[in-house]
């Protein structure tokens, strides 16, 4: 099927890089850097829409739903990347935020030609994950016209799930298949049509905002510290100890000891130290405050919550 891409801004020529093949190494990367500087400004223009998207995601996750990123090629890989970083950073179960890429796991490392053109597979991949009405789907496509993504969004809407479309072209086709269309206009790439550059950078920035802001709203951050991280390696164990030490003012050794009592869980360790309660009561307080550390500490100090040991 012949598709006219020439009207898409992401497929047009960047006049600033017409002679890029004649530039020195330093000149090439200076040009790349100059172009990358424009991406944050482009994202800033759509912050109000990104905020709406975050509220949709927060509402879905707060009510037992899951977040699905779905895309092809670079867009799909960025979704998988953001999703895979959430369990270690925020201790979320792997099924809560999932990344799906056209062509399956193989496509993460090797291009699966033609996968993005299959509209039916976009729907099928969501069906295979047993998509529910309470879930939310973010379709990602720099061009804004990827059939695989359209099929996914179309299916999601058909069962009542909320949908967000993220693209880098105005009046993107995928926007018409979503409850919310976010179009980050970064302009032509320095290599014509290579949307793994500015477009991909913009997409990663937006997805980082989606998950980070949502997790903050879900109580997984105290101040600006990752108090719900999963200490699954030496680096993260050290980070957990330093977080407890910095928040509570105890020594490094005391922080390590208290974390040993909480199975390396940072939140109850903080509540135990600042609230003066046992591990069991700290867990109970966190349960009744939906995991918000500030509120759990306040309740511990106020003595308004009782806990059966």
């Amino acid at each position: 099927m012949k598709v006219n891409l020439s009207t898409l801004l992401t497929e047009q020529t960047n006049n600033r890089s017409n002679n890029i093949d004649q530039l020195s190494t330093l000149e090439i990367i200076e040009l790349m850097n100059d172009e990358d500087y424009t991406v944050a400004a482009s994202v800033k223009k759509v912050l109000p829409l990104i905020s709406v998207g975050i509220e949709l995601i927060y509402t879905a996750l707060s009510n037992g739903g899951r977040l699905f990123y779905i895309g092809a090629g670079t867009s799909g890989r960025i979704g998988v990347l953001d999703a895979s970083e959430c369990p270690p950073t925020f201790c979320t179960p792997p099924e809560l935020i999932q990344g799906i890429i056209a062509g399956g796991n193989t496509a993460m490392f090797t291009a699966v030609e033609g996968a993005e053109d299959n509209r039916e597979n976009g729907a099928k991949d969501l069906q295979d994950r047993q998509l529910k009405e309470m879930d939310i789907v973010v379709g990602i496509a720099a061009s804004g016209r990827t059939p695989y993504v359209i099929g996914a969004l179309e299916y999601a809407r058909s069962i009542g799930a909320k949908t967000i479309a993220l693209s880098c072209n105005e009046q993107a086709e995928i926007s018409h298949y979503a409850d919310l269309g976010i179009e980050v206009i970064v302009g032509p790439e320095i290599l014509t049509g290579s949307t793994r550059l500015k477009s991909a950078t913009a997409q990663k920035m937006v997805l980082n905002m989606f998950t980070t802001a949502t997790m903050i709203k879900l109580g997984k951050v105290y101040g600006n510290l990752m108090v719900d991280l999963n200490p699954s390696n030496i680096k993260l164990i050290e980070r957990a100890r330093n977080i407890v030490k910095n928040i509570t003012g105890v020594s490094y050794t005391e922080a390590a000891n208290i974390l040993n009592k909480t199975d390396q869980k940072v939140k109850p360790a903080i509540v135990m130290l600042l609230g003066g309660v046992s591990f069991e009561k700290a867990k109970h307080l966190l349960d009744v405050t939906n995991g918000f550390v500030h509120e759990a500490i306040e309740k511990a100090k106020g003595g308004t919550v009782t806990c059966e040991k």
Side-chain angles (χ1 to χ4, degrees):
M1 180 177 65
K2 185 176 180 180
V3 178
N4 181 14
L5 300 178
S6 62
T7 59
L8 300 179
L9 191 59
T10 52
E11 294 292 326
Q12 294 178 15
T13 299
N14 187 330
N15 292 329
R16 296 186 63 197
S17 61
N18 281 338
N19 67 334
I20 196 169
D21 60 332
Q22 304 297 312
L23 300 181
S24 69
T25 300
L26 179 58
E27 288 171 332
I28 291 171
I29 62 175
E30 283 177 338
L31 177 56
M32 292 183 71
N33 188 237
D34 287 343
E35 289 291 294
D36 285 341
Y37 261 105
T38 69
V39 176
S42 298
V43 171
K44 186 174 184 177
K45 291 178 181 178
V46 295
L47 287 180
L49 290 175
I50 295 171
S51 177
V52 173
I54 291 165
E55 292 297 336
L56 290 174
I57 294 169
Y58 168 70
T59 299
L61 269 55
S62 296
N63 290 284
R66 299 166 295 170
L67 166 61
F68 289 92
Y69 292 136
I70 190 161
T74 300
S75 296
R77 294 184 187 100
I78 290 172
V80 172
L81 172 64
D82 194 66
S84 65
E85 290 289 350
C86 288
T89 306
F90 302 111
C91 209
T92 56
E95 63 272 12
L96 184 67
I97 301 171
Q98 301 182 38
I100 304 173
I101 182 171
N105 291 339
T106 299
M108 278 296 295
F109 307 99
T110 306
V112 178
E113 301 299 337
E116 70 174 55
D117 297 326
N118 194 315
R119 188 164 176 157
E120 290 74 22
N121 278 354
K124 181 180 181 300
D125 285 348
L126 288 177
Q127 290 171 345
D128 289 345
R129 304 291 178 106
Q130 297 182 321
L131 186 75
K132 304 280 196 306
E133 182 180 356
M134 66 182 67
D135 298 327
I136 184 165
V137 176
V138 178
I140 314 164
S143 68
R145 42 79 43 205
T146 305
Y148 175 82
V149 176
I150 290 174
L153 291 172
E154 192 172 41
Y155 172 71
R157 292 192 79 181
S158 74
I159 69 166
K162 290 294 183 182
T163 51
I164 300 172
L166 176 60
S167 66
C168 294
N169 278 300
E170 292 180 336
Q171 297 300 311
E173 188 175 356
I174 64 171
S175 295
H176 302 301
Y177 291 88
D179 297 302
L180 175 68
I182 300 174
E183 299 165 356
V184 188
I185 311 305
V186 296
E189 305 284 359
I190 62 161
L191 298 181
T192 305
S194 183
T195 51
R196 56 180 282 275
L197 300 174
K198 291 190 298 181
S199 296
T201 300
Q203 290 171 342
K204 186 178 189 303
M205 291 175 71
V206 174
L207 298 195
N208 284 167
M209 290 177 181
F210 280 168
T211 47
T212 303
T214 298
M215 292 300 127
I216 291 170
K217 290 170 66 65
L218 287 172
K220 293 183 174 292
V221 174
Y222 181 91
N224 62 356
L225 299 174
M226 297 183 291
V227 292
D228 225 356
L229 82 168
N230 179 21
S232 56
N233 57 39
I234 293 174
K235 179 189 74 173
L236 294 176
I237 290 172
E238 281 297 298
R239 182 176 295 164
R241 291 173 179 176
N242 285 316
I243 287 173
V244 172
K245 174 177 175 289
N246 292 338
I247 289 175
T248 66
V250 300
S251 68
Y252 176 88
T253 301
E254 289 175 295
N257 289 338
I258 198 76
L259 284 166
N260 286 336
K261 295 178 182 178
T262 66
D263 193 26
Q264 304 304 315
K265 297 293 189 294
V266 173
K267 279 185 176 183
I270 295 170
V271 177
M272 288 171 69
L273 289 168
L274 295 184
V277 296
S278 68
F279 179 41
E280 290 302 318
K281 188 165 186 179
K283 288 194 298 181
H284 175 71
L285 291 167
L286 287 165
D287 284 341
V288 299
T289 58
N290 296 315
F292 285 86
V293 176
H294 282 290
E295 285 82 349
I297 294 169
E298 288 177 8
K299 286 187 176 292
K301 290 180 176 179
T304 57
V305 176
T306 58
C307 175
E308 295 293 328
K309 290 190 178 181

